[in-house]
């Protein structure tokens, strides 16, 4: 766009280091990825609750909630902004829309991290290139990819929203795991099997990892 040259990056007077020192822990982005129904949101919220109990500042960015506001679909935007706005900025579930969805939430999560907050994101984020693109925007060790490795069979059996049933019936298109691919991470920081262990046990593993990386202090 013509006015892009007028956009200038402004440095903040309060640095990231000062914010992290005040909080007593480092900021980072914990990126949960996995199939629908794998347990991403449950883990993110369980971890958020545990971190809060420990006096650690965290925030959950959940896929469904974000699509109600920041990345709302055209149908949600049409009533308040008009058809042109909705078609231009509303996001669906095509590969291109998913890419933009992840780009936007990656940018928001990075802002949280820079403010010394542990951002917990729970998105299917099915494409490796999109997750890797978010990782490249951050410093080494700041992006923690957690693969919630729950099998399609288990996810489909759970089907908490009835989405797999609709996808199998042809009522829901571009559904990951059915008619759209899911590209599993090849080198995530952690791989968790939410089909075999409870959220509480898995969260303890995440807490331990954060301690070993020096993000939080387990021995204050």
């Amino acid at each position: 766009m013509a006015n892009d040259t007028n956009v200038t990056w402004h440095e903040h007077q309060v640095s990231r280091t000062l914010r992290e020192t005040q909080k007593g822990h480092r900021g980072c982005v914990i990126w949960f990825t996995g199939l629908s129904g794998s347990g991403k949101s449950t883990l993110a919220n369980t971890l958020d609750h545990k971190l809060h109990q420990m006096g650690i500042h965290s925030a959950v960015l959940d896929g469904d909630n974000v699509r109600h506001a920041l990345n709302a679909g055209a149908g949600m935007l049409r009533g308040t902004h008009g058809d042109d706005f909705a078609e231009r900025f509303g996001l669906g579930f095509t590969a291109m829309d998913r890419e933009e969805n992840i780009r936007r939430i990656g940018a928001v999560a990075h802002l949280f991290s820079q403010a010394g907050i542990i951002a917990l994101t729970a998105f299917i984020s099915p494409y490796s290139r999109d997750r890797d693109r978010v990782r490249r925007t951050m410093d080494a060790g700041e992006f923690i990819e957690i693969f919630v490795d729950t099998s399609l069979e288990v996810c489909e059996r759970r089907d908490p929203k009835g989405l797999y049933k609709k996808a199998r019936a042809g009522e829901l298109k571009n559904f990951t795991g059915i008619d759209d691919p899911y590209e599993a991470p090849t080198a995530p920081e952690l791989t968790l099997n939410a089909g075999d262990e409870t959220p509480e046990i898995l969260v303890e593993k995440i807490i331990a990892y954060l301690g070993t990386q020096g993000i939080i202090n387990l021995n204050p």
Side-chain angles (χ1 to χ4, degrees), residues 20-184:
E20 292 180 332
T21 300
Q22 181 187 58
K23 289 178 170 58
H25 62 81
R26 288 165 46 199
C28 69
V29 174
I30 300 180
W31 194 280
F32 292 97
T33 177
L35 293 170
S36 177
S38 61
K40 301 181 300 299
S41 294
T42 299
L43 282 175
N45 282 284
T46 304
L47 177 58
D48 186 42
H49 181 66
K50 176 67 174 179
L51 292 172
H52 178 72
Q53 290 180 323
M54 297 170 67
I56 295 169
H57 297 78
S58 57
V60 176
L61 300 172
D62 179 82
D64 282 354
N65 292 353
V66 167
R67 280 189 177 270
H68 274 280
L70 178 67
N71 296 343
M76 292 182 181
L77 294 176
R78 190 167 283 114
T80 53
H81 297 281
D83 290 348
D84 290 344
F85 183 94
E87 292 305 323
R88 184 177 180 186
F89 296 106
L91 295 181
F93 291 89
T94 66
M96 185 176 295
D97 285 342
R98 288 177 186 272
E99 178 181 349
E100 176 60 15
N101 182 56
I102 296 306
R103 187 197 68 79
R104 291 183 193 178
I105 198 60
V108 172
H110 194 195
L111 289 174
F112 275 94
S113 178
Q114 289 176 317
I117 296 169
I118 296 179
L120 313 172
T121 75
F123 297 84
I124 295 174
S125 48
Y127 305 124
S128 297
R129 67 177 182 274
D130 296 339
R131 299 191 302 266
D132 291 344
R133 189 177 293 120
V134 174
R135 182 188 289 273
R136 288 195 296 270
T137 66
M138 303 185 196
D139 295 335
E142 184 179 7
F143 182 86
I144 300 169
E145 186 176 39
I146 298 181
F147 176 30
V148 186
D149 186 13
T150 309
S151 70
L152 175 61
E153 291 74 21
V154 171
C155 293
E156 194 163 359
R157 188 163 62 246
R158 291 174 175 174
D159 203 9
K161 306 171 192 174
L163 300 179
Y164 284 99
K165 183 178 180 180
K166 289 182 179 180
R168 291 291 189 189
E171 300 171 8
L172 190 61
K173 302 298 183 184
N174 306 122
F175 190 74
T176 302
I178 304 300
D179 58 355
D180 250 23
Y182 176 76
E183 299 171 0

